[in-house]
Amino acid sequence: MSVLARSVGNAFRNKVRTAAVVAVLAVAIGLALAMLVANQAVTGKVAELNASVGTVLTVNPAGGQGFEGGGEPLTSAQATTAAAVPNVSSVVGTKALRLRNAAEIAAEAASGRTGQGGPGGQSATSVTTSLTAAVDAGTLGNRNQASTGTTGSTASGTGTTAAAPAFSLPITATGIGAEVDSTGKALQLTQGTGLGNYTAASTGALLGTTLAEKNGLKVGSTFTIQEKTFTVQGLFDAGTAFGNNALYVTLPTAQTLAALPDELSTMIVTVNSMENVDAAKTALQAALGSGKADVTQGQRNLETAVSSLDSVKNISFIAFVAALGTAGLIILLIMVMLVRERRREIGVLKAIGAPNRTIGLQFVLEALVLVALGSVVGAAVASLASGGIASALISSSSSTTAATGQRGGPGGFPGGQGGPLGGASQLLTSVTASASPGVIAAGIAAVFGVAIIGALVPALLTARIRPIEVLRGE
Amino acid sequence: MIEVKNLVRTFKSGDRTIKPVNDVSFELEQGTLASIVGKSGSGKSTLLSLLGALDKPTSGDVVVNGVSLASMPDGKLTNYRRRDIGFVFQQFNLIPNLSAVDNVMLPMEFSGMRKAARAERARQLLEQVQLDPDKHVRRINRLSGGEQQRVAIARALANEPKLILADEPTGNLDEQTGEHIIELLSTLSRDHNTTILVVTHDRALANKTDRRFRLQQGRLTEEPVRTRATAALTG
């Protein structure tokens, strides 16, 4: 019988005790693995958030936003200035156009109604298209049009009130310098391909799914803007009815259509990390001048989300280390107990010539057998419980943050998006902790490492046992 | 050859100092079968522990084939016990959750013998001590006292030691098995040149040894015995 076989046999010498030890170890190991899985999931999510919208700044002309307000338009030179600001990793310019159906404009002209004037200084970029908006104007659209004075419906000189033709909403066309939407998020293409080089003029366009459906278009179909033919190269899903009533072309194309080759509506500035967003925002505002550009951080509450996730990450890591330490301590105590219980046996083995290393190895292997059994059960526990534990940690963390926000303390945010954290809480709950084999294997390796350390102490204690001390009792 | 020189072992018991082994000196030629008799508590087992390097003397020395045990480090004492000594303990001291054959194989495993070789030798030794073959794989705690005694003797013989120290080796055996064990020990000392020192209350065993010592209050005296040759002649 080898040392290993003897160790396995010893591990099952007292089956009831072995079952109890394995159960206790399984709880500690399971908890350690679940915490590791939660930690990995949250770490991944934090990295994802840091790399995405949480680091995006939006630059608008000072006093203007979209088709509202006034001020001076942004220019390509300002984009170059923004790109040179420290910690700025990319600058994407956009040029927004307001497309109106050519047939409707012709009808309005025939009926003598005023055309689209639009508020603010950007109405000059309104252009005609063969497309029809996918969103009905409805009450809100007609009220908005009325308030901006663009729907004069009274026929002049007749003294009678003519029935106004059906009004349709304009379509927003955005020229972009990269394959992102106007908030900086990557476009979710459902069909076709992107536009390739977004910094060159092109006749390709990406259409929102509902806009394409409304106009009976698919990938490869054509339509016109300013009587120029464009081909649908891809369809995207923005996730909202308004967002899908839009199209994207390359930035130079939009600037050409608007006949404003150097002008930008907005700049989407990506900062290299979440930590540098505040500093970059200040530097960007200073570089562009507060009278010429407004720099805003789109989803400020993401900082809170990341902060909460960081807390969860730290808590789960500490809990992992604590559970790992507990497993090691359990092994240490169990093995100390076994060594004390088997002092006589150890003495006999030494009396018949067993070297200290053989006896020590026998106890370490016995401990590893118990840990292996505990790890199997613990891994099963972790695979079942890690999702729940991660959710519990995250919900606990987010509710704590929410409570802080409601008290108006530092870091709190006003309501408005369905809760104190708004969209951030959705990001928090979207963390999915799945026990991947790699993470479980890494966790079990750590458990075995700690178990070896825990078992070495009692194994070394066996070297101090002198055979005569335990045999003298006879 | 074993030389025991002025061996003393003292223990403290409260204010008293006990000397179970008090200035013991003797020599044993290789291949001698010797016995130590004496009352309970006279220090017989302590003397065996000193000879087997399980304990260290307060003073004096044991020299085995010219090598002093007093100056040996612990690691070499372990090698000495493994290679040169076979113990038969009074309480057998077998590993309870192992089978008879596994217990006998243990000293051979510590010596690095291959598994197949040690299994074969263990089986032969158990046959020599007349343990039923169907009990070879039985766990120790399912064997009778006499059977355990035989396994303990087989284990002591495992590494073919130069010196066998046996504490009451026939104490738990019936008369017939006891006779067989005495014969086995006698054969070992005679044919294999093994030195055997037994502590015993068994007069039959003591009378069959080459030399007989009596330990009284820690002091050793030698008693005259019939030699094996004389015993054979007179029956």
Side-chain angles (χ1 to χ4, degrees), chain B residues 135-196:
Chain B
K135 292 178 179 172
H136 288 190
V137 290
R138 197 173 285 185
R139 281 193 176 191
I140 290 302
N141 49 18
R142 292 185 182 173
L143 297 177
S144 69
E147 288 165 339
Q148 289 186 34
Q149 181 77 306
R150 277 176 269 171
V151 175
I153 293 167
R155 184 180 67 181
L157 304 176
N159 280 338
E160 298 183 78
K162 295 189 182 92
L163 172 63
I164 291 176
L165 301 168
D167 202 348
E168 298 287 3
T170 56
N172 291 282
L173 303 178
D174 58 69
E175 193 177 337
Q176 191 184 351
T177 313
E179 284 287 331
H180 173 74
I181 293 299
I182 292 167
E183 189 56 40
L184 176 66
L185 294 175
S186 187
T187 305
L188 277 170
S189 69
R190 191 177 54 234
D191 298 348
H192 296 270
N193 201 29
T194 306
T195 305
I196 299 173

Side-chain angles (χ1 to χ4, degrees), chain A residues 32-125:
Chain A
L33 294 177
M35 286 300 166
L36 185 63
V37 170
N39 181 270
Q40 295 296 305
V42 172
T43 301
K45 189 68 183 178
V46 167
E48 183 189 325
L49 286 176
N50 277 334
S52 65
V53 290
T55 56
V56 170
L57 299 172
T58 305
V59 181
N60 284 294
Q65 194 163 346
F67 298 106
E68 306 291 332
E72 296 302 316
L74 298 172
T75 63
S76 299
Q78 284 174 305
T80 307
T81 303
V85 169
N87 299 315
V88 168
S89 55
S90 72
V91 176
V92 176
T94 74
K95 177 63 189 162
L97 306 173
R98 208 172 216 183
L99 305 186
R100 297 227 47 219
N101 184 272
E104 188 184 324
I105 289 177
E108 282 176 3
S111 65
R113 290 189 297 146
T114 58
Q116 288 279 331
Q122 298 184 57
S123 60
T125 54

Side-chain angles (χ1 to χ4, degrees), chain B residues 7-235:
Chain B
L7 206 60
V8 177
R9 182 69 171 103
T10 59
F11 295 106
K12 286 274 182 189
S13 175
D15 293 337
R16 288 193 310 141
T17 300
I18 303 165
K19 276 190 178 176
V21 176
N22 188 4
D23 197 22
V24 168
S25 297
F26 66 93
E27 290 179 7
L28 285 180
E29 291 293 332
Q30 193 64 34
T32 306
L33 173 60
S35 61
I36 300 174
V37 295
K39 291 180 182 172
S40 293
S42 59
K44 304 185 295 292
S45 298
T46 303
L47 181 57
L48 279 197
S49 299
L50 293 169
L51 296 177
L54 292 178
D55 196 7
K56 292 193 171 178
T58 309
S59 64
D61 198 1
V62 177
V63 179
V64 181
N65 297 329
V67 180
S68 163
L69 296 189
S71 58
M72 246 187 220
D74 282 349
K76 288 201 170 177
L77 286 176
T78 301
N79 289 343
Y80 166 71
R81 286 196 298 268
R82 182 169 61 234
R83 204 177 49 230
D84 297 333
I85 301 285
F87 273 105
V88 181
F89 298 98
Q90 196 172 359
Q91 298 295 327
F92 324 134
N93 283 330
L94 299 163
I95 308 299
N97 68 317
L98 297 184
S99 68
V101 75
D102 284 336
N103 265 281
V104 178
M105 284 164 67
L106 271 178
M108 295 183 265
E109 179 195 323
F110 300 146
S111 297
M113 192 185 289
R114 294 175 68 87
K115 190 176 180 182
R118 61 182 192 246
E120 176 59 21
R121 176 157 173 75
R123 192 185 58 75
Q124 287 171 355
L125 288 169
L126 288 172
E127 281 175 4
Q128 270 187 6
V129 295
Q130 295 187 332
L131 186 74
D132 292 343
D134 62 326
K135 292 178 179 172
H136 288 190
V137 290
R138 197 173 285 185
R139 281 193 176 191
I140 290 302
N141 49 18
R142 292 185 182 173
L143 297 177
S144 69
E147 288 165 339
Q148 289 186 34
Q149 181 77 306
R150 277 176 269 171
V151 175
I153 293 167
R155 184 180 67 181
L157 304 176
N159 280 338
E160 298 183 78
K162 295 189 182 92
L163 172 63
I164 291 176
L165 301 168
D167 202 348
E168 298 287 3
T170 56
N172 291 282
L173 303 178
D174 58 69
E175 193 177 337
Q176 191 184 351
T177 313
E179 284 287 331
H180 173 74
I181 293 299
I182 292 167
E183 189 56 40
L184 176 66
L185 294 175
S186 187
T187 305
L188 277 170
S189 69
R190 191 177 54 234
D191 298 348
H192 296 270
N193 201 29
T194 306
T195 305
I196 299 173
L197 185 58
V198 294
V199 164
T200 184
H201 286 104
D202 185 347
R203 281 209 160 273
L205 173 56
N207 284 336
K208 288 185 177 176
T209 57
D210 303 325
R211 294 175 70 184
R212 190 170 73 202
F213 298 94
R214 178 170 293 278
L215 195 62
Q216 239 174 345
Q217 294 179 330
R219 292 195 176 274
L220 194 74
T221 52
E222 187 163 3
E223 295 181 340
V225 290
R226 293 185 302 171
T227 62
R228 273 188 271 186
T230 312
L233 283 172
T234 58

Side-chain angles (χ1 to χ4, degrees), chain A residues 240-399:
Chain A
T240 62
F242 181 81
N244 284 335
N245 182 42
L247 65 89
Y248 288 95
V249 293
T250 65
L251 178 61
T253 305
Q255 288 171 325
T256 304
L257 287 169
L260 298 165
D262 193 42
E263 195 176 298
L264 300 174
S265 300
T266 61
M267 291 190 289
I268 300 160
V269 178
T270 304
V271 181
N272 55 11
S273 77
M274 179 72 88
E275 293 78 39
N276 295 326
V277 167
D278 281 341
K281 185 184 171 193
T282 305
L284 198 58
Q285 187 68 74
L288 298 175
S290 57
K292 292 185 177 174
D294 287 334
V295 182
T296 53
Q297 189 177 348
Q299 296 193 30
R300 176 87 198 177
N301 54 16
L302 280 172
E303 277 186 23
T304 311
V306 170
S307 171
S308 290
L309 289 177
D310 271 336
S311 299
V312 173
K313 194 172 80 171
N314 292 337
I315 290 167
S316 59
F317 182 73
I318 291 167
F320 166 68
V321 172
L324 208 58
T326 304
L329 191 64
I330 291 168
I331 284 293
L332 174 75
L333 295 177
I334 293 289
M335 297 317 290
V336 166
M337 188 183 77
L338 289 178
V339 166
R340 289 181 65 84
E341 192 179 284
R342 295 194 202 145
R343 276 173 65 82
R344 187 180 185 83
E345 190 176 309
I346 293 165
V348 172
L349 290 173
K350 289 192 170 191
I352 62 174
N356 285 333
R357 64 173 181 279
T358 303
I359 298 171
L361 179 65
Q362 181 180 313
F363 277 90
V364 170
L365 289 176
E366 184 174 343
L368 293 184
V369 170
L370 294 173
V371 170
L373 292 172
S375 296
V376 170
V377 182
V381 170
S383 63
L384 294 174
S386 55
I389 288 174
S391 300
L393 277 172
I394 289 165
S395 59
S396 161
S397 176
S398 59
S399 62

